[in-house]
Amino acid sequence: MNEFDELCPKVWKTFDIIGKRWNGLIIYVLMSGPKRFSEIHSSIPSLSKRMLTERMKELEEEGIVIRHVIPERPVRIEYILTKKGSELGMILGPVSKWAKTWIK
């Protein structure tokens, strides 16, 4: 087995995560710090609440996002990037810079 054979599934999985519709934007929004569901939704208004819920569950299962319950009255829930999620998010900065330069 060569290096390409070992890396290919990992690279494929990475592109699957960030390439899934909305995931990149959600991670990008969370790069600025913890956000409540409504804050994420207002940052990406064309994303439906149902789809946001689905994507947040998927990102949580992948270990990219943590759902943090704050025991106040009323209970608050914030979403925070994990270390894994933050490191993934760091690659989105250059993508954003590229987009600002090249996308009309």
Side-chain angles (χ1 to χ4, degrees):
M1 184 177 283
N2 64 35
E3 183 179 343
F4 178 77
D5 291 335
E6 291 176 18
L7 286 178
C8 192
K10 292 178 181 181
V11 172
W12 181 85
K13 179 66 174 175
T14 302
F15 278 100
D16 185 48
I17 292 168
I18 61 173
K20 191 173 274 188
R21 189 163 189 182
W22 308 114
N23 281 356
L25 284 173
I26 293 167
I27 294 166
Y28 189 76
V29 166
L30 288 172
M31 285 298 291
S32 62
K35 301 276 185 294
R36 296 181 71 177
F37 184 91
S38 60
E39 293 173 310
I40 299 167
H41 185 257
S42 66
S43 296
I44 313 170
S46 54
L47 171 58
S48 72
K49 289 180 180 181
R50 183 187 65 77
M51 183 58 69
L52 178 55
T53 299
E54 183 179 313
R55 292 296 184 250
M56 294 309 290
K57 286 179 184 176
E58 291 171 0
L59 291 171
E60 192 174 2
E61 289 171 5
E62 289 291 340
I64 293 170
V65 171
I66 294 173
R67 183 177 181 267
H68 183 242
V69 178
I70 301 168
E72 297 178 345
R73 290 207 189 274
V75 172
R76 283 187 19 207
I77 297 172
E78 289 184 334
Y79 294 91
I80 305 165
L81 289 176
T82 62
K83 182 177 186 318
K84 178 180 176 179
S86 292
E87 289 185 13
L88 180 58
M90 287 191 292
I91 67 169
L92 298 177
V95 171
S96 174
K97 183 179 178 185
W98 180 88
K100 290 173 185 172
T101 302
W102 294 102
I103 302 298
K104 302 288 182 207

